[in-house]
Amino acid sequence: MGATSVVATGMGFPESTRWRDGLVWLCNWGAGEVLAVGADGASEVMARVPRQTLPFSIDWLPDGRLLVIDGPRGRLLCQQPDGSLDAVADLTGFGPAPFNELVVDATGNAYVNGGPGIVVCVLPDGTAHQVATGLKWANGMALIDDGRTLLVADSHAQQLIAFDVQDDAPLAGFRVWSDLEYAPDGICADADGAIWVATVPGRCCMRVREGGEVLNTVSADRGCFACMLGGEDGRTLFIGAAEWRGMDAAMNEGPGMTGQLLAAPGQPAPHAGRP
């Protein structure tokens, strides 16, 4: 088990947690904000999308430009020097919305999942290709094995699914990396080859080894939507958590304001590559 402290409060659903430039970045669903949060809980709005945008997620290109996936509109957006967000890819042709999560590899290929259980790869030139299918409800993603494996959290299957990343960005070798006790949401990798899995129904983050062995659990008093390793030594697990009242309430009434950013220090070091 691991103890947590509260870093920040008063958010909707804190999703897509990232560690960058000494700050925790996250998507504040319900407010349409991309936030950067310091250790003292002070936050700054780094980008905005319409408040009703659910879901949306973030990552960065190798040159430092911020990417945002606008889930309901099926667009991949890139932040410009003036802070505006311009569309770089239209994903609506790949199937119905929403698109959900985003992860970018070291060469700038952006993997986006969602829609009808698929993964789409947007190349640096903006062209997009469907590279995987067969997922029930695609959620958090992480690149491991020096970028050679893409892991996708399949919430409805309660599994982590692994794909082999080919040299020209397509995916192959759909396989179950781990079965899980609870539906997974956001995920991140550590240096030991284990994966931290945030789960809303389980109200915890589980550290899981390939094959399903649970190595550690950090519990919360509300659903855990996302997680990321960071902090000065890279060993603090930051967790986006909020009360979950069901999908109908989330879509019709909004996320509410129960969202918190939690910190659980003393974890194994993060994966050396991109999350």
Side-chain angles (χ1 to χ4, degrees), residues 140-156:
M141 293 191 290
L143 286 159
I144 60 172
D145 302 332
D146 297 322
R148 297 189 302 271
T149 302
L150 177 70
L151 287 183
V152 182
D154 192 332
S155 295
H156 288 181

Side-chain angles (χ1 to χ4, degrees), residues 56-150:
F56 68 101
S57 302
I58 58 170
D59 205 353
W60 288 264
L61 290 167
D63 63 10
R65 287 179 293 162
L66 176 69
L67 293 181
V68 180
I69 178 65
D70 179 335
R73 296 169 186 82
R75 299 185 303 167
L76 182 64
L77 311 175
C78 183
Q79 190 171 48
Q80 303 305 306
D82 65 358
S84 63
L85 295 170
D86 289 351
V88 295
D90 183 345
L91 308 181
T92 56
F94 293 100
F99 286 84
N100 191 11
E101 269 284 358
L102 167 68
V103 67
V104 182
D105 72 14
T107 63
N109 297 313
Y111 293 92
V112 181
N113 68 28
I118 65 172
V119 180
V120 173
C121 181
V122 180
L123 302 178
D125 65 4
T127 58
H129 307 276
Q130 181 176 312
V131 292
T133 188
L135 299 160
K136 294 182 179 179
W137 185 265
N139 218 316
M141 293 191 290
L143 286 159
I144 60 172
D145 302 332
D146 297 322
R148 297 189 302 271
T149 302
L150 177 70

Side-chain angles (χ1 to χ4, degrees), residues 210-222:
E210 184 173 8
E213 179 186 1
V214 177
L215 304 174
N216 191 16
T217 301
V218 175
S219 297
D221 66 352
R222 60 201 67 201

